[in-house]
Amino acid sequence: MKQPFRLKMSVAATAIGLCVIGGTSAIAQNRGAPVAQPVIPAVEWDKRRLDQLDRNVRRLERALTQRNAAGQPVIVEPDPEVIALQGQVSLMERRLADLEATFRRVNAENERMTFDLDEATRNNADLVRRVDALEDRIKTLQEEAELNAPITANSPTGDAAGDLQAAMRLSGQDTRRGMRALETVTVTWPDTPQAKEAYSRLGDIHVAGRDNASAVSAYAQALTGWPRTPWAAETVLKLAEALRATDRQTQACGALNEFTRRYAEAATAQQKTRATQLRTRAECS
C-alpha cells in the first residue's frame, strides 16, 4: 500500500521557489525523498515576476491534483520550525499579558499614591492654615496682654523731652501703642511740662476715638496749674468743646472764661474766633 506523500508547509514554499527556478515539479522527481531548502535570493516583485509566480503555483496545484487522482494523496504537515515559532509566539503573548497586568497594577498603585499625595497635600495645607490662625491668635493675645499691662515708669531715651517725642512719633504709627507711650511719659516724668503735653496729646487721641469723656479728663490733667505753654490755649478750647459734647455747658462756659482771662491776649485770631463761636453754641452768658 502506497503511503501518502507528506508535504511540510515550509517544503511547499520551497517547491514554489523551485518551480520559479526550474519550471518543473519537484514532487514528481523526488518521491519520498527529503527536499533541501535552497537559499532564495531577495526578489523585486514586479508584475512580470508576480505573473510567473502565479503560473508556478498553478502548476503545483495541477501536480497535487494529479497525485491525488493517482491515489497518492498529499498531506500537508506543519513544519517543526513553524510549531516552535508558534510556541515562542504563545510564550511572548503570555509574557506580554503578564507585562500588561504588571503595568495595570503599577498604574493602580500610582493612582493610589497620587490620591494619597493629594490628600496629604490638602491635609498639610489645612494644618498650615490652622497653625497660622493659632499663631495669629497667640500674637493677638500677646499684644493684648502687653497693651493692657499696668503702666510703669520707663524711659526709653533717658530724657523727658526725648521720651515725649518718641511717644508722639509712635502714636502717629500705632494709636494704641502710642497711647501707652504717652501714658508712660506721664508716669515716668510727673509734674513736668512734658507730662502735661502728653496728657494734651492723649486728649486728642480720645476725641479722635469719639471718647469725649476720657478727653475731658486728659485735657483737665494737661491744664493743671494753667501752664503758660504754646499748646495751652488750644487745649483750653478743646476742653470746652469736649465738655459741650458731653452736655456740660456750664463747665464749658467756665473753660472759655479761663481762656479769655488767661490766654486770649496771646491767642491767635483764629483761636479767638473759635472761642466766640463756642460761647454761642454753649449759650454762655
Side-chain angles (χ1 to χ4, degrees):
M1 181 178 180
K2 294 183 180 180
Q3 296 296 326
F5 184 74
R6 299 179 182 275
L7 180 64
K8 295 181 179 180
M9 293 175 66
S10 61
V11 175
T14 303
I16 294 174
L18 292 175
C19 290
V20 173
I21 296 173
T24 60
S25 174
I27 299 175
Q29 297 177 1
N30 298 284
R31 291 184 179 179
V35 179
Q37 296 184 4
V39 178
I40 303 176
V43 178
E44 183 179 351
W45 295 100
D46 54 12
K47 185 178 183 304
R48 181 181 63 79
R49 290 183 182 276
L50 289 173
D51 291 342
Q52 184 179 2
L53 178 61
D54 182 65
R55 288 193 297 272
N56 290 335
V57 171
R58 293 180 183 277
R59 290 173 185 171
L60 180 59
E61 289 177 345
R62 286 196 297 272
L64 293 175
T65 302
Q66 291 173 1
R67 288 190 64 86
N68 289 333
Q72 298 178 355
V74 177
I75 299 176
V76 180
E77 294 181 346
D79 194 307
E81 294 180 358
V82 175
I83 295 176
L85 181 60
Q86 290 176 342
Q88 294 178 0
V89 171
S90 299
L91 178 60
M92 292 179 65
E93 288 178 347
R94 288 196 297 273
R95 293 183 62 184
L96 180 60
D98 292 341
L99 286 174
E100 290 177 347
T102 301
F103 284 139
R104 286 194 295 270
R105 184 170 63 256
V106 170
N107 287 337
E109 288 292 325
N110 287 339
E111 290 178 359
R112 184 184 62 80
M113 292 177 64
T114 301
F115 175 80
D116 292 343
L117 180 60
D118 291 341
E119 186 175 8
T121 301
R122 289 192 297 270
N123 292 338
N124 184 58
D126 182 61
L127 287 175
V128 170
R129 287 193 295 270
R130 293 175 63 183
V131 169
D132 290 342
L134 288 173
E135 288 180 349
D136 290 340
R137 288 181 61 186
I138 292 173
K139 183 178 179 181
T140 300
L141 291 174
Q142 290 175 339
E143 291 178 350
E144 289 297 324
E146 179 184 351
L147 294 174
N148 293 320
I151 302 295
T152 58
N154 179 39
S155 177
T157 68
D159 177 73
D163 288 351
L164 178 61
Q165 291 299 319
M168 290 169 58
R169 286 194 299 270
L170 183 58
S171 64
Q173 300 168 358
D174 187 324
T175 301
R176 294 188 66 185
R177 294 184 184 277
M179 288 183 66
R180 284 187 62 85
L182 291 169
E183 290 171 352
T184 301
V185 171
T186 65
V187 172
T188 306
W189 307 100
D191 302 324
T192 63
Q194 288 77 19
K196 295 181 183 300
E197 185 173 357
Y199 276 120
S200 178
R201 300 287 181 174
L202 285 169
D204 294 342
I205 294 175
H206 288 309
V207 169
R210 298 179 182 276
D211 186 0
N212 289 294
S214 296
V216 167
S217 177
Y219 288 139
Q221 290 283 348
L223 293 170
T224 301
W226 301 107
R228 308 297 296 183
T229 57
W231 50 265
E234 184 68 22
T235 301
V236 174
L237 295 176
K238 291 177 180 178
L239 173 62
E241 289 179 336
L243 287 167
R244 192 183 69 83
T246 54
D247 296 325
R248 286 180 277 186
Q249 312 291 352
T250 301
Q251 293 177 341
C253 291
L256 292 171
N257 290 335
E258 292 295 334
F259 172 81
T260 302
R261 186 163 65 90
R262 298 177 184 274
Y263 302 105
E265 183 178 353
T268 65
Q270 183 179 7
Q271 289 173 338
K272 293 176 181 178
T273 301
R274 282 178 59 201
T276 301
Q277 294 172 345
L278 285 171
R279 283 182 177 277
T280 302
R281 294 171 188 169
E283 299 178 353
C284 297
S285 57

